[in-house]
Amino acid sequence: MKIAIHHKPHSFSERWIEYCKEKGIPYKIVNAYDSDIVKQVEDCDAFMWHHHHADYRDALFAKQLLYSLETGGKKVFPDFHTGWHFDDKVGQKYLLEAIGAPLVPSYVFYTKQEALDWVDKTSFPKVFKLRGGAGAANVRLVHSKSEAKKLIRKAFGRGFTQFDRWGYLKENLSKWRRGKAPFIDVCKGVARLFIGTKFAKLHAPEKGYAYFQDFIPNQKFDVRLIVINQEKAYGLKRLVRKGDFRASGSGQYQYDTIDNMTLKTAFEVAKKLNLQSVAFDFVYNEKNLPLIIEMSYCFGTTGSGKCRGYWDKDLNYHEEHFNPQGWMVDEMLKYLRIENKKSDVTIESDK
């Protein structure tokens, strides 16, 4: 059994490769961007790729390649169930609603008039989002009908660029003031006012829809809870930024105990959706019940990498060192062993 791994610095692949070396697991480094990638993985049983939403190449074809290899009989990470809704908040809305998951009430409109009519009937504030973006990018708090209508007209007009230049500068400036980033990042933010990203240049503006979520007030933090293989979970609290409503991307963490209701919800949803890996973001309503804001198959490791332990699916806590990327590799091998046993049984019965 051999695993093909697309390697990219500062991604999950670093730990996958390290784990394979440590455990003596056969692996092969391949390049997903090569035209002959399907041929490259022919001698492998599995393919793993930590594709990223902000790489224009990944956004163009990662999901299509993974699904094609999966259809061709390869075990892949992320597989179709795990990855099709990645960086697609609208897709996640439909998916979570379909299984009755506790999602923050969300609304999407595909005509300007329908969206404007809704604005006249709803209450404010609301949270406006684009389909894609992480770290609180492309997210803003809308305080009034007039503000919402302005965003809707833009959404059905010239649209929104894939990169918010002023938002990027403000974000870097905020992190620098809090001691979370060097001053050079502020300089980069200023430079980006004049030089956009390659991703933004090569992708069309986001338009033709308007997506809102209810604003859940009085949140001091959100909970980032990561579930791997539907069996193990770990997480932390991310503090809301000072003078802001967002916690994602704040860089401020607390490693308190996470309540059983949130843990149970995360495990149940991961199992219903048959996810290999998922990071849920939770907030809490007036009854202190957890609501999912959004989810992602991949996640940052700056904060979560400092978690001191994990929970199993029976909600027992294990305070010990762990390697979630190693768990991902283990699950691939577990599946391949099961499939090989099935093949052996079939061959024996044919005789």
Side-chain angles (χ1 to χ4, degrees), residues 112-302:
K112 181 170 71 172
Q113 192 57 53
E114 183 184 16
L116 293 173
D117 290 345
W118 172 79
V119 165
D120 286 330
K121 300 172 186 175
T122 193
S123 59
F124 288 89
K126 286 285 190 291
V127 179
F128 176 82
K129 297 183 176 184
L130 299 183
R131 291 175 61 182
N138 304 329
V139 177
R140 64 189 74 186
L141 187 61
V142 183
H143 297 89
S144 65
K145 291 183 179 182
S146 59
E147 190 178 347
K149 289 181 177 181
K150 183 178 179 181
L151 288 169
I152 289 168
R153 293 188 182 100
K154 185 175 180 180
F156 291 95
R158 69 179 183 275
F160 299 87
T161 178
Q162 296 281 357
F163 178 68
D164 182 355
R165 302 182 188 210
W166 282 105
Y168 181 72
L169 173 59
K170 290 177 183 177
E171 179 72 12
N172 287 358
L173 186 60
S174 174
K175 287 183 178 179
W176 173 69
R177 286 173 173 167
R178 299 196 313 268
K180 300 292 183 179
F183 185 71
I184 188 65
D185 283 6
V186 178
C187 298
K188 290 178 181 178
V190 173
R192 282 298 183 197
L193 292 177
F194 306 96
I195 306 171
T197 65
K198 197 168 187 179
F199 184 91
K201 290 177 182 177
L202 294 173
H203 280 261
E206 284 281 305
K207 58 182 179 178
Y209 71 94
Y211 178 66
F212 294 86
Q213 283 188 325
D214 279 354
F215 173 61
I216 310 299
N218 306 318
Q219 304 294 306
K220 296 181 179 179
F221 59 85
D222 73 7
V223 167
R224 162 59 63 90
L225 194 53
I226 299 163
V227 183
I228 308 294
N229 304 329
Q230 305 167 37
E231 295 182 346
K232 297 173 182 176
Y234 64 102
L236 67 159
K237 293 177 180 177
R238 304 183 301 184
L239 303 183
V240 169
R241 315 171 194 211
K242 186 176 181 180
D244 202 335
F245 72 101
R246 300 168 297 177
S248 179
S250 72
Q252 302 176 75
Y253 312 111
Q254 286 184 350
Y255 298 91
D256 300 339
T257 299
I258 295 174
D259 65 280
N260 283 353
M261 178 64 76
T262 305
L263 288 164
K264 184 179 179 183
T265 299
F267 276 117
E268 287 178 349
V269 174
K271 184 175 182 179
K272 281 185 178 180
L273 297 180
N274 196 23
L275 305 177
Q276 296 166 308
S277 167
V278 60
F280 292 110
D281 295 340
F282 288 96
V283 291
Y284 295 83
N285 65 15
E286 68 282 357
K287 297 181 180 178
N288 206 33
L289 296 176
L291 300 175
I292 299 171
I293 307 172
E294 56 193 65
M295 61 185 185
S296 170
Y297 89 87
C298 59
F299 43 87
T301 57
T302 302

Side-chain angles (χ1 to χ4, degrees), residues 48-67:
M48 303 182 75
W49 181 12
H50 177 188
H51 61 90
H52 196 273
H53 69 281
D55 188 311
Y56 77 96
R57 298 168 298 177
D58 296 16
L60 278 172
F61 78 97
K63 295 176 184 179
Q64 290 85 343
L65 173 62
L66 286 159
Y67 181 67

